[in-house]
Amino acid sequence: MTHKGSSLYRGYALFLLPGVLAFLVLILFPFLANIGLSFTKWSGVGKPVWIGLANYERAISDSSFWASFKNNLLLIVAMTIIPTIVGLFLAAFLFDYIADKFGQGVASIFRAGFYLPQIIPLVVAGIVWRWIYQPQWGALNGLLRFLGLDSLARPWLGDHSTAMYAVMGMMVWFQIGYPLVIFMAALQRIDPELYEAAALDGASWLQKFFRITIHLIRPEIAVVVLTTAIHALKIFAPIYSMTRGGPGKATIVASYFSYQNFFERSNVGYGATIATILTLIIVLLTIGFILAQTRREE
């Protein structure tokens, strides 16, 4: 019996081979090569020179390095915290009120509308929002002038004090549909009798929301928080298409800072160092989150 089982598993192992090879060639080997480059000084041409931990010591004292990670934390607020909270309330509102009053079809139209930005390439969305924020003919300043609020009109992406918040606003708009769709799917698996029993006990909508809904869809909330936080840490496209990290260091993020060192400054070793640190942070965050989720489920 054991022999048959082992043969069976060996048969399945063949189907895993393409995935394992793809992982080794596309992920593991490039990551190990990146780690190796992070200990060198290399312009991209010629032979890399081994410098040990010098790039890591440089990163610790580099204000641009810390500014990039601070901006990544702000993007976690815009891409994880705000969309998750808003998505939760919107999903519950569409599921409990719109679907009940106007039918499932109307709720699906709203859900599709909120999800629409997710199907737009992020670079394209960034370019469109750059036009919206354009100081002379952009839609936002045009609307403010139309409403008589000329004093509020400004170069949103060119002003050091507003550039990061303008990018965050765009990312909130882009991200809300993702948690909304996941939470609405999660709500459909909750037994309606739980809500009926709570209503008979006199529970309000908010009490049912916090004590039943949130409690029962915690796995989906965890997935949304983890995936969006990882997305926020490795974000690149909107920064590239909207601000190129400027003005100054106002909107620089870790992935774009790494790109600048790799391809614009020919400082490949330092770019590899930033990429390595960013990857390790994402891996540790993922492991910690999965361990915490596993303990909670046990």
Coordinates of all heavy atoms in Angstrom, one line a residue, residues 14-50:
L14 N 5.9 14.8 -11.3 CA 6.3 15.2 -12.7 C 5.5 16.5 -13.1 O 6.0 17.3 -13.8 CB 6.0 14.1 -13.7 CG 6.9 12.9 -13.6 CD1 6.5 11.8 -14.6 CD2 8.3 13.4 -14.0
F15 N 4.2 16.6 -12.7 CA 3.4 17.7 -13.0 C 3.9 19.0 -12.3 O 3.6 20.1 -12.7 CB 2.0 17.5 -12.7 CG 1.3 16.4 -13.6 CD1 1.2 15.1 -13.1 CD2 0.9 16.8 -14.8 CE1 0.6 14.2 -13.9 CE2 0.3 15.8 -15.7 CZ 0.2 14.5 -15.2
L16 N 4.6 18.8 -11.2 CA 5.2 20.0 -10.5 C 6.4 20.5 -11.1 O 6.9 21.6 -10.8 CB 5.4 19.6 -9.0 CG 4.2 19.2 -8.2 CD1 4.7 18.8 -6.8 CD2 3.3 20.4 -8.0
L17 N 7.1 19.7 -11.9 CA 8.4 20.0 -12.5 C 8.4 21.4 -13.2 O 9.3 22.2 -13.0 CB 8.9 18.9 -13.4 CG 10.4 18.9 -13.7 CD1 11.2 18.9 -12.5 CD2 10.7 17.7 -14.6
P18 N 7.5 21.6 -14.2 CA 7.5 22.9 -14.8 C 7.4 24.1 -13.9 O 8.2 25.1 -14.0 CB 6.3 22.9 -15.8 CG 6.0 21.4 -15.9 CD 6.4 20.8 -14.6
G19 N 6.6 24.0 -12.9 CA 6.5 25.1 -11.9 C 7.7 25.3 -11.1 O 8.2 26.4 -10.8
V20 N 8.3 24.2 -10.7 CA 9.6 24.2 -9.9 C 10.7 24.9 -10.8 O 11.4 25.7 -10.3 CB 10.0 22.8 -9.4 CG1 11.4 22.9 -8.8 CG2 9.0 22.3 -8.4
L21 N 10.8 24.4 -12.0 CA 11.8 25.0 -12.9 C 11.6 26.5 -13.1 O 12.6 27.3 -13.1 CB 11.8 24.3 -14.2 CG 12.4 22.8 -14.2 CD1 12.2 22.2 -15.6 CD2 13.9 22.8 -13.8
A22 N 10.3 26.9 -13.3 CA 10.0 28.3 -13.6 C 10.4 29.1 -12.3 O 10.9 30.2 -12.4 CB 8.5 28.5 -13.9
F23 N 10.1 28.5 -11.1 CA 10.5 29.2 -9.9 C 12.0 29.4 -9.7 O 12.4 30.5 -9.4 CB 9.9 28.4 -8.7 CG 10.3 29.0 -7.4 CD1 9.7 30.1 -6.8 CD2 11.3 28.3 -6.6 CE1 10.1 30.6 -5.6 CE2 11.7 28.8 -5.4 CZ 11.1 30.0 -4.9
L24 N 12.7 28.4 -10.1 CA 14.2 28.4 -10.0 C 14.8 29.5 -10.9 O 15.6 30.3 -10.6 CB 14.8 27.1 -10.2 CG 14.5 26.0 -9.2 CD1 15.1 24.6 -9.6 CD2 15.1 26.4 -7.8
V25 N 14.3 29.4 -12.2 CA 14.9 30.2 -13.3 C 14.4 31.7 -13.2 O 15.2 32.6 -13.3 CB 14.5 29.7 -14.6 CG1 15.0 30.6 -15.8 CG2 15.2 28.3 -14.8
L26 N 13.1 31.9 -12.8 CA 12.6 33.3 -12.9 C 12.6 34.0 -11.5 O 12.6 35.2 -11.5 CB 11.2 33.2 -13.4 CG 11.0 32.6 -14.8 CD1 9.5 32.6 -15.2 CD2 11.7 33.5 -15.8
I27 N 12.7 33.2 -10.4 CA 12.6 33.9 -9.1 C 13.9 33.6 -8.3 O 14.5 34.6 -7.9 CB 11.3 33.4 -8.4 CG1 10.1 33.8 -9.2 CG2 11.3 34.0 -7.0 CD1 8.8 33.4 -8.6
L28 N 14.1 32.4 -8.0 CA 15.2 32.1 -7.0 C 16.6 32.5 -7.5 O 17.3 33.2 -6.8 CB 15.2 30.6 -6.7 CG 16.2 30.2 -5.5 CD1 15.8 31.0 -4.3 CD2 16.2 28.7 -5.3
F29 N 17.0 32.1 -8.7 CA 18.3 32.4 -9.2 C 18.5 33.9 -9.4 O 19.5 34.5 -9.0 CB 18.6 31.7 -10.6 CG 18.7 30.2 -10.4 CD1 18.5 29.3 -11.5 CD2 19.2 29.7 -9.2 CE1 18.7 28.0 -11.3 CE2 19.3 28.3 -9.0 CZ 19.1 27.4 -10.1
P30 N 17.5 34.7 -10.0 CA 17.7 36.1 -10.1 C 17.8 36.8 -8.7 O 18.6 37.7 -8.5 CB 16.4 36.6 -10.8 CG 16.0 35.4 -11.6 CD 16.3 34.2 -10.8
F31 N 17.0 36.3 -7.7 CA 17.1 36.8 -6.4 C 18.5 36.6 -5.8 O 19.0 37.5 -5.2 CB 16.0 36.2 -5.5 CG 16.0 36.8 -4.1 CD1 15.9 38.1 -3.9 CD2 16.1 35.9 -3.0 CE1 15.8 38.7 -2.6 CE2 16.1 36.4 -1.7 CZ 16.0 37.8 -1.5
L32 N 19.0 35.4 -5.9 CA 20.3 35.1 -5.4 C 21.4 36.0 -6.1 O 22.3 36.5 -5.4 CB 20.6 33.6 -5.5 CG 19.8 32.7 -4.7 CD1 20.1 31.2 -5.0 CD2 19.9 33.0 -3.2
A33 N 21.2 36.1 -7.4 CA 22.2 37.0 -8.1 C 22.1 38.4 -7.7 O 23.1 39.1 -7.5 CB 21.9 36.9 -9.6
N34 N 20.8 38.9 -7.4 CA 20.7 40.3 -6.9 C 21.3 40.4 -5.5 O 22.0 41.5 -5.3 CB 19.2 40.5 -6.8 CG 18.9 42.0 -6.4 OD1 19.0 42.8 -7.3 ND2 18.5 42.3 -5.2
I35 N 21.2 39.4 -4.6 CA 21.9 39.5 -3.3 C 23.4 39.6 -3.5 O 24.1 40.4 -2.9 CB 21.5 38.3 -2.5 CG1 20.0 38.3 -2.1 CG2 22.4 38.2 -1.2 CD1 19.5 37.1 -1.3
G36 N 23.9 38.8 -4.5 CA 25.4 38.8 -4.7 C 25.8 40.2 -5.2 O 26.8 40.7 -4.8
L37 N 25.0 40.8 -6.1 CA 25.4 42.1 -6.6 C 25.3 43.2 -5.5 O 26.0 44.2 -5.6 CB 24.4 42.5 -7.7 CG 24.6 41.9 -9.1 CD1 23.5 42.3 -10.1 CD2 26.0 42.3 -9.7
S38 N 24.5 43.0 -4.5 CA 24.3 44.0 -3.5 C 25.6 44.1 -2.6 O 25.8 45.1 -1.9 CB 23.2 43.6 -2.5 OG 23.5 42.5 -1.7
F39 N 26.5 43.2 -2.7 CA 27.8 43.3 -2.0 C 28.9 43.8 -2.9 O 30.1 43.6 -2.6 CB 28.2 41.9 -1.5 CG 27.2 41.4 -0.4 CD1 26.4 40.3 -0.7 CD2 27.2 41.9 0.9 CE1 25.5 39.9 0.2 CE2 26.3 41.5 1.8 CZ 25.5 40.4 1.5
T40 N 28.5 44.3 -4.1 CA 29.6 44.8 -5.0 C 29.3 46.3 -5.4 O 28.3 46.8 -5.2 CB 29.5 44.0 -6.3 OG1 28.3 44.2 -7.0 CG2 29.6 42.5 -6.0
K41 N 30.4 46.8 -6.0 CA 30.2 48.1 -6.7 C 30.4 47.8 -8.2 O 31.4 47.3 -8.7 CB 31.4 49.1 -6.2 CG 31.2 50.4 -6.9 CD 32.3 51.4 -6.3 CE 32.1 52.8 -6.9 NZ 33.2 53.7 -6.4
W42 N 29.3 48.2 -8.9 CA 29.3 47.8 -10.4 C 28.5 48.8 -11.1 O 27.4 49.2 -10.7 CB 28.7 46.4 -10.5 CG 28.8 45.9 -11.9 CD1 29.9 46.0 -12.7 CD2 27.9 45.1 -12.6 NE1 29.6 45.4 -13.9 CE2 28.4 44.8 -13.9 CE3 26.6 44.6 -12.3 CZ2 27.7 44.0 -14.8 CZ3 25.9 43.8 -13.2 CH2 26.5 43.5 -14.5
S43 N 29.0 49.3 -12.2 CA 28.3 50.3 -13.1 C 27.4 49.6 -14.1 O 26.7 50.3 -14.8 CB 29.3 51.2 -13.8 OG 30.0 50.4 -14.7
G44 N 27.4 48.3 -14.2 CA 26.7 47.6 -15.2 C 27.6 47.2 -16.4 O 27.2 46.4 -17.2
V45 N 28.8 47.7 -16.4 CA 29.8 47.3 -17.4 C 31.1 46.9 -16.7 O 31.5 47.5 -15.7 CB 30.0 48.5 -18.4 CG1 31.1 48.1 -19.4 CG2 28.8 49.0 -19.0
G46 N 31.7 45.9 -17.3 CA 33.0 45.4 -16.7 C 32.7 44.4 -15.5 O 31.6 43.9 -15.4
K47 N 33.7 44.3 -14.7 CA 33.6 43.3 -13.6 C 33.2 43.9 -12.3 O 33.8 44.9 -11.9 CB 35.0 42.6 -13.4 CG 35.0 41.4 -12.5 CD 36.4 40.8 -12.5 CE 36.3 39.6 -11.6 NZ 37.7 38.9 -11.5
P48 N 32.2 43.4 -11.6 CA 31.8 43.9 -10.3 C 32.9 43.8 -9.3 O 33.7 42.8 -9.3 CB 30.6 43.0 -9.9 CG 30.2 42.4 -11.1 CD 31.4 42.2 -12.0
V49 N 33.1 44.8 -8.4 CA 34.1 44.8 -7.4 C 33.5 44.5 -6.0 O 32.5 45.2 -5.6 CB 34.8 46.2 -7.4 CG1 35.9 46.2 -6.3 CG2 35.4 46.5 -8.7
W50 N 34.0 43.6 -5.3 CA 33.4 43.2 -4.0 C 33.7 44.3 -3.0 O 34.9 44.6 -2.8 CB 34.1 41.8 -3.6 CG 33.6 41.4 -2.2 CD1 34.1 41.7 -1.0 CD2 32.4 40.6 -2.0 NE1 33.4 41.1 0.0 CE2 32.3 40.4 -0.6 CE3 31.4 40.0 -2.8 CZ2 31.3 39.7 0.1 CZ3 30.4 39.3 -2.1 CH2 30.4 39.2 -0.8

